[in-house]
Amino acid sequence: MIQLTNVSKIYPNGARALVDVNLKIGKGSFVFLVGPSGAGKSTLIKLLYREETPTRGQVQINSKNLVRMKDREVPYLRRNIGVIFQDFKLLPNKTVFENVAFALEVIGVAKSEVRNRTLATLELVGLKAKETAYPHELSGGEQQRVCVARAIINNPALLVADEPTGNLDPDTAWDIMELLYDINKRGTTIVMATHARAIVNKMQKRVIAIENGRVARDEEKGGYGYDA
Ligand code: ADP
């Protein structure tokens, strides 16, 4: 589903974020990206939803070449890719319902369908009772659930997550991981960058370690592999 071929990324300031990365990630997989800060994990994630393009090499998702993709095609790509961040990025003046519904409204989904799908997705993430709350009225875990709902409402083939549990306490982090686990079980491919050692060790999924912009390790059912 995802293929990176000889991918290098050098930022305009000269930072070498990725160096000759080759990767294949199959449909339906759950992959952790681990490695020290500054290793290139976020950059790799950004290439997947075309927030960045590589300096060299190819990025393909479902046989679509993201490097050659025209800017006007990017919104269509993003409909099929959900993105979750560490710092939630919810709209502060919109309710839970509005934050999630917005993802459908911008692509022109009919109003009645927006309502049904938004409520169904809020139910899935366990937040139906909070539909009229504003982000500042929610706990961190609840805010991240809203982000998960927003990311999956279009039923994307791919969900990418950059440190999604980074701002959460351990118990809440596990709640979010259970949600991501269930979403993966339903068929969505998940690529998640994380420093959450306990989560990576427990989940026994594929682990790709990035160090100095290169793939340093790639193991099925891997462990975190770094000291705390
Ligand atoms: P990680 O997610 O593993 O912490 P990043 O992908 O954020 O790593 O960063 C990899 C390298 O690229 C670092 O040296 C970082 O400073 C640099 N970098 C990341 N984003 C940018 C940017 N927008 N402009 C310049 N350099 C960047």
Side-chain angles (χ1 to χ4, degrees):
M1 174 187 200
I2 300 172
Q3 185 161 5
L4 272 65
T5 313
N6 304 123
V7 166
S8 295
K9 174 69 182 178
I10 303 167
Y11 284 104
N13 66 356
R16 287 155 61 89
L18 294 173
V19 184
D20 203 23
V21 171
N22 289 285
L23 273 183
K24 277 187 193 175
I25 295 173
K27 190 167 157 30
S29 8
F30 196 129
V31 178
F32 287 117
L33 294 180
V34 303
S37 286
K41 304 179 295 296
S42 294
T43 300
L44 202 162
I45 295 250
K46 285 175 183 167
L47 293 176
L48 299 181
Y49 63 100
R50 206 180 178 272
E51 178 72 16
E52 296 285 353
T53 49
T55 311
R56 275 194 303 277
Q58 299 301 328
V59 179
Q60 282 173 300
I61 295 185
N62 284 335
S63 310
K64 269 254 163 207
N65 185 332
L66 269 53
V67 180
R68 267 194 250 135
M69 182 174 280
K70 301 198 170 59
D71 285 348
R72 63 178 158 79
E73 293 176 89
V74 171
Y76 295 95
L77 170 80
R78 301 240 176 107
R79 282 183 199 184
N80 212 17
I81 302 178
V83 187
I84 309 172
F85 304 97
Q86 176 172 1
D87 57 350
F88 315 140
K89 298 192 196 291
L90 292 168
L91 300 165
N93 300 322
K94 286 186 184 285
T95 63
V96 165
F97 180 92
E98 289 163 350
N99 263 283
V100 178
F102 190 61
L104 294 177
E105 286 162 358
V106 293
I107 62 172
V109 173
K111 208 166 177 183
S112 59
E113 199 187 331
V114 168
R115 173 132 200 100
N116 290 339
R117 279 170 64 184
T118 301
L119 290 178
T121 308
L122 286 176
E123 174 131 51
L124 189 73
V125 303
L127 273 186
K128 209 167 168 192
K130 300 273 183 182
E131 64 160 305
T132 59
Y134 286 88
H136 73 269
E137 298 172 315
L138 303 176
S139 69
E142 287 167 341
Q143 289 184 56
Q144 193 58 298
R145 280 172 188 276
V146 180
C147 298
V148 172
R150 182 180 60 182
I152 64 170
I153 194 154
N154 274 317
N155 211 1
L158 172 64
L159 185 62
V160 296
D162 197 349
E163 296 259 13
T165 65
N167 282 339
L168 305 177
D169 64 69
D171 285 350
T172 312
W174 274 113
D175 291 343
I176 293 295
M177 288 317 297
E178 276 172 24
L179 190 53
L180 296 184
Y181 181 86
D182 289 343
I183 291 165
N184 174 247
K185 280 260 143 152
R186 295 156 64 109
T188 301
T189 306
I190 298 187
V191 179
M192 168 174 162
T194 187
H195 287 113
R197 173 193 183 79
I199 286 172
V200 174
N201 286 341
K202 178 93 185 284
M203 288 199 45
Q204 294 286 295
K205 298 294 187 185
R206 182 175 170 191
V207 174
I208 299 173
I210 310 285
E211 292 174 18
N212 295 318
R214 297 175 190 271
V215 175
R217 174 164 57 97
D218 186 347
E219 288 175 330
E220 291 301 326
K221 302 189 182 194
Y224 185 70
Y226 297 96
D227 292 335

